[in-house]
Amino acid sequence: MIEVKNIYKSFGTLDVLKDVSLTVNKGEVVVIIGPSGSGKSTLLRCINHLETPDKGEIVVDGEVLTGKSSQIRKVRANLGMVFQQFNLFPHMNVYDNITLGPKRVQSMSKEDMDKTVDDLLAKVGLSDKKFSYPPQLSGGQQQRIAIARALAMNPEYMLFDEPTSALDPISTSKIEDLAVELKSKYTVIMVTHNMQQAARISD
């Protein structure tokens, strides 16, 4: 499970998270809702240790991450994260974006990487974009590639950071459909300010 215990996080004089606690059991789908600026993304980034909490404790599968940097890389490999702004490397094609993590962290063979990429691109409906570059893709396509990249690490947990906030309605619908499919296989935490999306994903 993921346990967030009494987390505090400030940026300068701005208190973003104040005594926040959360428990997510394996197999659960949790959607964190709230208006822009309420600290949703910061909480998710603290779970993945992209931000370091000022106080409190974060535990993933029994490993206390707070203050133990040696465990962060190991646990982070089990946390697939999909960012609001895609965060694809524009100078790398789709294949290289998806395989960067498995190649560096898991030392996956080229044969296994090729199969993983083909399977994931089929899952997200973009098999014909294997050697395209991010600037050649639409926003919705880039976000689906970002999801494929997160899944390539074969994580137990999927963290979605407002993945549809910058997309058009059609692209948003496709991402929501994919999130609904993923929730049957992964533990999912999604942050959003969209109440309808929250209801659909967590139903």
Side-chain angles (χ1 to χ4, degrees):
M1 66 171 67
I2 295 176
E3 293 180 280
V4 176
K5 302 178 180 179
N6 309 111
I7 288 294
Y8 289 78
K9 180 64 181 178
S10 299
F11 296 100
T13 59
L14 178 62
D15 294 325
V16 179
L17 299 175
K18 295 184 287 185
D19 197 20
V20 174
S21 296
L22 173 70
T23 298
V24 182
N25 293 310
K26 285 188 178 181
E28 282 191 324
V29 177
V30 174
V31 179
I32 303 170
I33 60 174
S36 297
S38 60
K40 304 183 305 300
S41 295
T42 300
L43 176 59
L44 212 62
R45 291 174 68 85
C46 283
I47 292 173
N48 204 25
H49 257 68
L50 295 173
E51 298 287 352
T52 302
D54 299 325
K55 290 172 56 179
E57 188 175 76
I58 293 175
V59 183
V60 178
D61 285 340
E63 295 283 357
V64 179
L65 300 190
T66 321
K68 294 189 176 181
S69 57
S70 62
Q71 297 297 325
I72 292 174
R73 182 175 180 180
K74 171 188 170 185
V75 173
R76 187 182 285 160
N78 214 21
L79 295 165
M81 183 142 179
V82 181
F83 297 90
Q84 177 178 165
Q85 297 298 332
F86 323 137
N87 285 14
L88 298 175
F89 295 104
H91 63 290
M92 293 183 177
N93 62 30
V94 165
Y95 177 91
D96 290 336
N97 264 285
I98 293 174
T99 59
L100 181 62
K103 184 163 52 178
R104 292 195 174 185
V105 177
Q106 300 176 338
S107 301
M108 189 181 289
S109 69
K110 187 177 188 308
E111 181 180 358
D112 287 342
M113 285 192 295
D114 289 346
K115 184 178 186 308
T116 295
V117 171
D118 289 343
D119 289 347
L120 289 174
L121 289 180
K123 182 185 290 291
V124 300
L126 293 172
S127 295
D128 60 331
K129 303 299 182 182
K130 186 174 181 178
F131 298 110
S132 298
Y133 286 81
Q136 299 172 323
L137 305 175
S138 69
Q141 289 173 332
Q142 289 187 58
Q143 192 61 291
R144 281 184 279 163
I145 295 300
I147 292 173
R149 179 179 62 181
L151 292 175
M153 295 294 291
N154 195 28
E156 289 189 41
Y157 302 97
M158 287 294 293
L159 311 178
F160 291 88
D161 184 7
E162 299 192 42
T164 63
S165 63
L167 302 183
D168 61 85
I170 294 176
S171 295
T172 294
S173 178
K174 289 179 179 179
I175 300 299
E176 289 177 350
D177 288 343
L178 188 53
V180 169
E181 178 185 344
L182 292 177
K183 75 180 186 180
S184 66
K185 302 176 183 178
Y186 300 91
T187 302
V188 176
I189 306 176
M190 175 182 280
V191 300
T192 183
H193 57 262
N194 186 325
M195 296 291 289
Q196 291 180 330
Q197 183 178 82
R200 184 177 181 214
I201 299 300
S202 60
D203 183 23

